[in-house]
Amino acid sequence: MLLPPAWVFPTVAASTWLAMLLAMLGHWTMIGEPRYGLMKPGQNIPFISDIGAQELKPLFMIGCITTVLLLNLSFYQFIQTKGYINKLCTHGSFFFTIIGGTGLVLLSVLDNISHHLTHDICVTVFIVGFLVSAALMALDYIYLGIAHALREPMLLTSFAIKVSFIVIELTLIIFFRITEHTHYNQNNMAATLEWVIAFVFTGYILSLIVDQLPSSQRNLQDPKGYQQLEMRTSMSLP
């Protein structure tokens, strides 16, 4: 099968995700920033799911499904080309990507109005799935060793993006949950944080682009290349 370069899938996935978010936010602004049924008193900034449950639900669903499909294709292609020693973290990361992607698709289908509780559960599955996926990918690079990463700048870049994604998302999610369940006046802050969390998710997708670049794959696509890199690193140590 003739496939495009590996970096194409995550690039299109990131573009699709950003375009969907901007289209939803832009549409809400252009129609006069209406208040939706589930918005609480004093809240004038909608959650993503508030907009996604209205007339833009088809766009929300298509955007989420397309993003998930492209991410899964990107990860599958990455696994096929990855030949160095530890595959456990990579396969585990792929598994949790599927779990998180399933949560993302379901939360777009089961909207916040008709399936409020189920929607919230799917949001949790989505967030946890991709956070664990990113953590396993970062752990994989730790397994390779910091010394190896320093000799391969693109690997270090990917590692830094994933760790930053985990730290930033966890911090935002904690504040989001705190503000979501406090006084009604805090729901504007909670809604804003949810939008920020969604935009930051783009960082995880972009890190997959870095993983797929030829410079990231150099010397790491087969066990011999990995062993040669390991030997060069060992010889350079005192």
Side-chain angles (χ1 to χ4, degrees):
M1 182 184 299
L2 183 61
L3 294 175
W7 53 266
V8 170
F9 289 132
T11 301
V12 179
S15 301
T16 301
W17 180 253
L18 281 175
M20 180 196 71
L21 293 177
L22 292 174
M24 294 174 68
L25 194 57
H27 174 79
W28 172 74
T29 303
M30 290 177 63
I31 63 175
E33 301 182 359
R35 295 187 75 260
Y36 296 118
L38 291 181
M39 293 173 66
K40 297 178 181 178
Q43 179 186 351
N44 51 34
I45 298 177
F47 290 100
I48 298 173
S49 52
D50 291 332
I51 300 177
Q54 308 299 323
E55 63 272 11
L56 289 186
K57 183 174 181 178
L59 172 66
F60 189 37
M61 292 173 56
I62 293 172
C64 291
I65 292 171
T66 303
T67 300
V68 168
L69 177 62
L70 291 170
L71 278 177
N72 288 344
L73 286 172
S74 175
F75 234 114
Y76 178 77
Q77 199 169 8
F78 178 61
I79 289 177
Q80 297 306 305
T81 60
K82 184 176 181 182
Y84 50 83
I85 298 173
N86 180 26
K87 290 188 177 182
L88 180 61
C89 289
T90 305
H91 285 81
S93 183
F94 184 37
F95 172 76
F96 279 100
T97 293
I98 294 175
I99 296 297
T102 301
L104 179 57
V105 171
L106 289 177
L107 72 85
S108 69
V109 176
L110 304 172
D111 62 70
N112 194 33
I113 295 178
S114 303
H115 311 277
H116 181 70
L117 179 59
T118 307
H119 177 85
D120 283 349
I121 293 173
C122 291
V123 171
T124 301
V125 172
F126 160 57
I127 293 173
V128 172
F130 280 105
L131 281 176
V132 174
S133 175
L136 288 172
M137 287 288 284
L139 183 63
D140 195 16
Y141 289 131
I142 293 176
Y143 173 84
L144 285 175
I146 299 300
H148 294 158
L150 289 174
R151 290 178 174 271
E152 296 293 336
M154 297 307 292
L155 294 181
L156 188 60
T157 299
S158 177
F159 174 78
I161 293 175
K162 289 181 175 64
V163 171
S164 299
F165 166 73
I166 294 168
V167 173
I168 293 172
E169 287 287 67
L170 279 177
T171 303
L172 290 172
I173 290 166
I174 290 171
F175 281 105
F176 167 72
R177 289 302 184 186
I178 291 173
T179 55
E180 185 185 27
H181 296 290
T182 54
H183 194 269
Y184 286 153
N185 291 335
Q186 295 295 321
N187 274 271
N188 282 327
M189 177 62 71
T192 302
L193 287 172
E194 185 186 55
W195 283 98
V196 174
I197 289 169
F199 280 110
V200 171
F201 176 62
T202 312
Y204 176 79
I205 304 176
L206 292 175
S207 73
L208 297 180
I209 299 175
V210 178
D211 291 328
Q212 301 284 20
L213 292 176
S215 54
S216 293
Q217 295 294 320
R218 187 177 64 251
N219 293 325
L220 297 176
Q221 289 187 355
D222 59 77
K224 290 183 179 179
Y226 176 86
Q227 291 166 5
Q228 290 171 1
L229 179 60
E230 187 176 45
M231 290 176 61
R232 289 201 306 269
T233 304
S234 299
M235 292 175 63
S236 65
L237 296 176

